[in-house]
Amino acid sequence: MSEASVPPVNERKRGSGVKRVYDVLRDEILDLVLAPGSPIDEIQLAERLAMSRTPIREALVRLASEGLVTTLPNRSTVVANIDFLNLQAFFDALTVMYRVTTRLAAQNRTEENLEMIRARQADFARAVESHDALAMIASNAEFHKAIATAARNPYFAGLANRLLDDGRRLMRVYYSSFGDHLPHCYVVEHEDIIAAIVARDVARADLLATAHADQIVSHIRAVIARDDRLHIDL
Amino acid sequence: MSEASVPPVNERKRGSGVKRVYDVLRDEILDLVLAPGSPIDEIQLAERLAMSRTPIREALVRLASEGLVTTLPNRSTVVANIDFLNLQAFFDALTVMYRVTTRLAAQNRTEENLEMIRARQADFARAVESHDALAMIASNAEFHKAIATAARNPYFAGLANRLLDDGRRLMRVYYSSFGDHLPHCYVVEHEDIIAAIVARDVARADLLATAHADQIVSHIRAVIARDDRLHIDL
DNA sequence: TGCATATTGTTTGTCGACAAGAAATTCGAT
DNA sequence: ATCGAATTTCTTGTCGACAAACAATATGCA
C-alpha cells in the first residue's frame, strides 16, 4: 500500500488511559492545584485529556478508594477535604508509621534500598538548599516512602503512602512556613536516620524516628496555632 | 395509555450496581468461594449479575486498589494470591494494629462504640458455641473492626480492614484447625479486652492486645507448621 | 516430524449514546 | 414581592458496540 498510514500524533497506547488520568488527577490533588472540596466534572476532564468518560470514571473510583476524592451518589465527585478537626489522628498514625517503618528498614534493608534512600535524601537536601518549599515537601514524602519500601511490609507501606499523601496536602497549605534554618535540622535528622538504618541499629532507628515525628508534629502544630490566631483577628 | 407499563421484577435502583458487584465479589473472595489466583471473567460476571460490564469493571478497579484482586494489563484480572512467603510482615502489622487500635479505643470509645463491640463479641461467642468455624472467623474480624472504629482513627481503621480481610482468607485456609477448647480462650481474652476498654485502662488494653496477637500468631504458626510437614510427606 | 509463521478467536480497553436523579430555572398563586 | 410547584437543564450511572491485544489454533516449510 502506497498511502503511509500516518498515525496521529495523539495516538495513545491501549491501557494507558486510566493510568494517565489517575496520575494527572493525583498530582493535581496532592499539589492543591485542585482545591479540597472542589467538584470534578467528568465531561470537562474527558475533553481536557481527549478521551472518553469511561477511563476517567475508573480512575475516579480508584482515587476514591484511596481517600483522595469523595463520590456523592448521583452527584458530583469532589476532591477530598483535608480534615483539620482530626489532626490528632493524623499525628498518632504518622508517629507510629515513622517508628515501625524505620525500625523494619533497619532490620530488612538491602544495598539497593540504601541507594534509593540516599538518592531521595539528596533530592531533599537539594530542595532545601534552593529554598524550594514545594520540592521539599514532595521529596520529603518520597524519602520516607523509600524507607517504607525498605521495611518490606506491604501493610505498613500502604499506610505510609496514605499518610504521606495526606501530609503533602496538609503541609502545602502552610508551605510558606518553611523558613531557612528549620529545614536544615530535618536534613541532619534524615542523615542520622540513614546512619542508623545502615548500621542496622533498630533501637536507634526507633528513637530517631520518634524524635523526627515529634519535630514535625510540633512544627505543624505551631504553624497552625499561628494561623488560627490570624483567623481570629479577621 | 391503557397498557400498564409493568416494571420487570428485576428493576434495580440507579447507583446500586457497582456496590452490588463489589459486595458479592468481596464476599466470595474473602470466603474463598473464588480461589486465590483464579481468573475473573467480566462477561461471565455480567451475565450472572444481569448487568453491563461497566459497573463490573468499576467494582474490579476498587477491589484491585484494596489488594483483593490483581489486574494483569490486557489480560484477565485474577483473585489476589495469599502471600504465604511474607507471613512475618502480616504478623508484624497485625500485632501493631491490635495494639494501637485497642489502646485508642480505650481512650476514645463512646457508649455507642461499646454497644457495637459487645454485639460483635456476642456474635463471636455464639459462633464458638455452635462450633461454626466460618462464622467464628468472620465475627472475630468484625469484633476487631468494631474496636478499630472505636479508636476513631481513619488511618488505623483502613489498616485494620485490610489486615482483617487478609486474615479472614488466611484462617479460612486452615479453618479445620479450630477445635473445641482453643476458641474458648479467645472468648475470654476478648472479654478482658472489652473490660479494659470500658475501664479506659490504656496500659492494660495494650498489654491484652499484645498477648492476644501473640496467641493468634503462635496458633497460626503451629497450624502452618503442621501443614508444612504434611506437604513434605507428600 | 518439528518449528516458525499466519490466522482465528476470545477478552479486555475505550467509545458514544441513552436514561435516571438532582440542581437550577421558570412560572404561578397568594 | 415572595414562596412553592412544575419544568428544564445538566450530570451521573449504565448500556451495547467496536477496536486492540493476547492466546490458541492452523498452516507452511525444512
Side-chain angles (χ1 to χ4, degrees):
Chain A
M1 311 173 204
S2 58
E3 47 189 347
S5 65
V6 179
V9 278
N10 294 354
E11 189 130 346
R12 295 179 214 307
K13 284 157 219 151
R14 177 189 177 79
S16 70
V18 184
K19 183 170 163 34
R20 171 152 176 68
V21 182
Y22 173 81
D23 288 338
V24 168
L25 271 186
R26 186 187 141 89
D27 277 347
E28 294 190 353
I29 291 173
L30 291 182
D31 289 348
L32 291 188
V33 174
L34 295 174
S38 65
I40 298 178
D41 184 22
E42 297 177 1
I43 297 177
Q44 199 175 331
L45 247 180
E47 287 171 3
R48 182 152 77 90
L49 298 181
M51 56 176 58
S52 160
R53 274 178 53 221
T54 308
I56 281 154
R57 295 194 102 249
E58 294 186 3
L60 286 178
V61 169
R62 189 167 157 203
L63 288 167
S65 82
E66 290 171 12
L68 290 178
V69 304
T70 311
T71 54
L72 316 178
N74 275 325
R75 226 162 313 166
S76 69
T77 75
V78 299
V79 178
N81 279 336
I82 303 177
D83 197 350
F84 290 100
L85 300 177
N86 210 2
L87 266 181
Q88 184 60 46
F90 176 78
F91 292 144
D92 285 347
L94 189 78
T95 304
V96 170
M97 185 275 286
Y98 271 5
R99 290 185 60 189
V100 295
T101 55
T102 312
R103 279 185 76 105
L104 289 173
Q107 265 185 35
N108 303 332
R109 95 286 189 293
T110 65
E111 286 301 322
E112 211 174 355
N113 294 140
L114 291 180
E115 273 177 45
M116 179 64 88
I117 293 172
R118 288 202 181 99
R120 294 294 85 80
Q121 165 70 350
D123 292 343
F124 179 67
R126 215 172 300 131
V128 168
E129 208 164 335
S130 53
H131 299 280
D132 184 346
L134 268 45
M136 273 175 41
I137 292 169
S139 56
N140 177 66
E142 291 304 315
F143 171 77
H144 286 287
K145 281 187 189 177
I147 291 181
T149 302
R152 294 216 163 349
N153 188 310
Y155 301 101
F156 290 141
L159 179 65
N161 274 307
R162 191 144 185 174
L163 279 166
L164 290 169
D165 284 352
D166 277 12
R168 230 175 106 174
R169 298 209 303 161
L170 180 63
M171 288 204 265
R172 202 151 286 220
V173 172
Y174 299 105
Y175 75 92
S176 60
S177 77
F178 288 99
D180 291 331
H181 65 288
L182 198 51
H184 189 259
C185 89
Y186 287 129
V187 176
V188 174
E189 287 186 16
H190 282 188
E191 295 289 351
D192 291 344
I193 288 174
I194 293 177
I197 292 174
V198 169
R200 297 196 184 280
D201 189 339
V202 174
R204 182 160 172 75
D206 191 338
L207 208 75
L208 291 172
T210 307
H212 192 57
D214 289 346
Q215 181 86 5
I216 286 198
V217 168
S218 55
H219 179 195
I220 296 181
R221 276 232 173 84
V223 172
I224 289 177
R226 198 173 54 194
D227 184 77
D228 279 349
R229 251 177 286 158
L230 280 176
H231 277 293
I232 291 171
D233 284 350
L234 290 179
Chain B
M1 309 169 211
S2 58
E3 48 190 344
S5 65
V6 179
V9 278
N10 295 353
E11 187 130 347
R12 295 180 210 307
K13 285 156 218 152
R14 178 189 178 81
S16 70
V18 184
K19 182 169 165 38
R20 171 154 176 68
V21 182
Y22 174 81
D23 288 339
V24 169
L25 271 186
R26 186 188 142 89
D27 278 347
E28 294 191 352
I29 291 173
L30 292 183
D31 288 349
L32 292 187
V33 174
L34 296 175
S38 64
I40 298 177
D41 184 23
E42 296 177 0
I43 297 177
Q44 199 175 331
L45 247 181
E47 288 171 1
R48 183 152 77 90
L49 298 181
M51 55 176 57
S52 160
R53 275 178 51 222
T54 308
I56 280 155
R57 296 193 101 249
E58 294 186 3
L60 286 178
V61 170
R62 190 167 156 203
L63 288 167
S65 83
E66 290 171 13
L68 291 178
V69 303
T70 312
T71 52
L72 316 179
N74 276 323
R75 224 161 315 167
S76 68
T77 76
V78 299
V79 179
N81 280 336
I82 303 177
D83 198 349
F84 291 100
L85 300 176
N86 211 2
L87 267 181
Q88 183 60 46
F90 175 77
F91 292 144
D92 285 346
L94 189 78
T95 305
V96 170
M97 184 275 286
Y98 271 4
R99 289 185 61 191
V100 294
T101 55
T102 312
R103 279 185 75 104
L104 289 174
Q107 265 185 35
N108 302 332
R109 97 285 189 294
T110 65
E111 286 301 321
E112 210 174 356
N113 295 139
L114 291 180
E115 273 177 45
M116 179 65 86
I117 293 172
R118 287 201 182 100
R120 295 291 87 78
Q121 165 70 350
D123 293 342
F124 179 66
R126 217 172 296 133
V128 168
E129 208 165 334
S130 53
H131 299 279
D132 184 346
L134 267 46
M136 271 173 44
I137 293 170
S139 57
N140 177 66
E142 290 305 315
F143 172 76
H144 287 286
K145 281 188 190 177
I147 291 181
T149 301
R152 295 217 165 345
N153 187 312
Y155 302 101
F156 290 140
L159 179 65
N161 275 308
R162 190 145 186 173
L163 279 166
L164 291 168
D165 284 352
D166 277 11
R168 230 175 106 174
R169 299 210 301 160
L170 180 63
M171 288 204 264
R172 202 150 286 217
V173 173
Y174 301 104
Y175 74 93
S176 60
S177 77
F178 289 99
D180 289 332
H181 65 288
L182 198 52
H184 189 258
C185 89
Y186 286 130
V187 176
V188 174
E189 286 186 16
H190 281 188
E191 293 290 352
D192 291 344
I193 288 175
I194 293 178
I197 292 175
V198 169
R200 296 196 184 279
D201 189 337
V202 173
R204 180 159 173 77
D206 191 337
L207 208 76
L208 291 171
T210 307
H212 192 59
D214 289 346
Q215 181 88 2
I216 286 198
V217 167
S218 54
H219 179 196
I220 296 182
R221 276 232 172 85
V223 172
I224 289 176
R226 200 172 54 192
D227 185 76
D228 280 349
R229 251 176 286 157
L230 281 176
H231 277 294
I232 291 170
D233 285 349
L234 292 178

